[in-house]
């Protein structure tokens, strides 16, 4: 176990954010290759309803931090020879071939055309298949409104959503990993919940990471918070408790202590405590630019401000296999080549292999990444953490 760092400055960042009302609560954790070096938390589990403060053992909905777990499950099938990255998605899920490209609207009638090529499994992992999310794409947001098609939180009909670009032509963040989960189920003949349990969370001892919580863990879970007239208020449970499918894009609950084990396994090249979940070569590929000359947009405007702010990461970002990658060092923060991503209810992780550290920070609140609140907190936490390493 690594010696703990002086986390007093990080504690202050967390406490100040809660006291200022930037977030309803927050827990954070950091580790190196050998073990946890920081744990902290501030704020009540449920504002106005509970007195217990969140800790790194509290359950959170990790939303799109699920994506990297599902991606690893798919990469395990690639290593076993059961799945090919360059194979068309419809090889494994024939219904994918029915998806067309949304070109625009004639009044309220969507204009659709056949896709210019067949999307591949790798394009699902890299968000270059043409699929999108309503909250960062006006066209899909409008399509769902005029057709009544639910988003991915509303049921399996969401898999009928069209593409918004031809496969391979641009980075477009979307429901790719939900489709990837379907691919994994097709090649294994097993539910994604079982695949992840048997291949990842079970071997890594992540006993608190699952798609549906039992009664005991539910009592230890935060709720999703939104702003009311008098500050943060609980919006309750926003994930379906009888889901149509196990969502590889957003469905997992976890604790900071659990998820840091997954992060450390990737930090260590695919192995933790003698258990290997991926080969080093596969992990290297995940942390390598896999979108070529395409770029992750410097800014993605919001299409649904109640759900998310605009994403403003600036230039110089790529995508690996399931991971956002920065191509340059961030001064006082992560090194170039760090793999990271986040979850819609304001969770965030990064794995900095060059510095030999990983960390994550958790709230459950909406909107996502508000520029002067949750987004600022991410950066303040990261800066305080790296300062503590010097």
């Amino acid at each position: 176990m690594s010696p703990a760092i002086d986390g007093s400055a990080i504690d202050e960042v967390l406490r100040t954010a809660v006291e200022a009302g930037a977030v309803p609560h927050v827990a954070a954790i950091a580790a190196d290759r050998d073990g946890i070096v920081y744990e902290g938390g501030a704020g009540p589990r449920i504002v106005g309803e509970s007195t217990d403060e969140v800790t790194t053992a509290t359950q959170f909905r990790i939303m799109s931090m699920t994506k990297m777990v599902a991606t690893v499950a798919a990469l395990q099938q690639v290593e076993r020879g059961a799945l090919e990255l360059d194979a068309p998605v419809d090889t494994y899920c024939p219904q994918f071939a029915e998806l067309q490209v949304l070109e625009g609207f004639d009044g309220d009638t969507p204009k659709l055309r056949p896709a210019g090529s067949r999307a591949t499994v790798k394009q699902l992992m890299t968000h270059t298949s043409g699929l999108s999310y309503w909250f960062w794409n006006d066209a899909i947001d409008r399509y769902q409104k005029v057709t009544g098609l639910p988003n991915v939180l509303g049921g399996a009909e969401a898999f009928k959503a069209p593409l918004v670009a031809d496969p391979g032509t641009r980075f477009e963040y979307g429901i790719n990993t939900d489709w990837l989960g379907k691919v994994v189920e097709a090649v294994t003949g097993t539910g994604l919940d079982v695949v992840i349990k048997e291949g990842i969370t079970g071997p890594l001892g992540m006993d608190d990471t699952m798609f549906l919580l039992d009664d005991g863990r539910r009592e230890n879970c935060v709720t999703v918070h939104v702003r009311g007239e008098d500050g943060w208020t609980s919006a309750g449970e926003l994930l379906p408790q009888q889901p149509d499918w196990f969502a590889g894009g957003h469905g997992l609950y976890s604790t900071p202590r659990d998820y840091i084990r997954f992060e450390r396994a990737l930090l260590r090249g695919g192995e933790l405590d003698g258990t290997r979940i991926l080969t080093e070569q596969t992990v290297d590929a995940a942390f390598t630019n896999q979108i070529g000359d395409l770029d992750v947009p410097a800014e993605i405007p919001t299409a649904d401000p109640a759900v998310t702010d605009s994403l403003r990461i600036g230039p110089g970002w790529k995508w690996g296999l399931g991971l956002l990658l920065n191509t340059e060092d961030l001064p006082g923060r992560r090194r170039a080549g760090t793999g990271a991503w986040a979850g819609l209810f304001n969770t965030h992780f990064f794995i900095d292999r060059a510095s030999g550290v990983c960390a994550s920070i958790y709230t459950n609140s909406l909107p996502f990444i508000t520029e002067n609140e949750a987004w600022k907190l991410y950066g303040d936490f990261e800066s305080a953490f790296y300062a503590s390493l010097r």
Side-chain angles (χ1 to χ4, degrees), residues 240-257:
Q241 296 303 290
Q242 294 181 317
D244 293 341
W245 82 98
F246 291 110
H250 64 265
L252 286 175
Y253 298 78
S254 190
T255 67
R257 284 183 188 166

Side-chain angles (χ1 to χ4, degrees), residues 100-105 110-113 139-140 143 162-165:
Q100 295 186 295
V101 177
L102 176 64
E103 282 200 315
F105 296 85
K111 297 168 61 177
L112 299 166
R113 63 165 174 81
I140 283 296
Y143 181 89
L163 312 180
V164 296

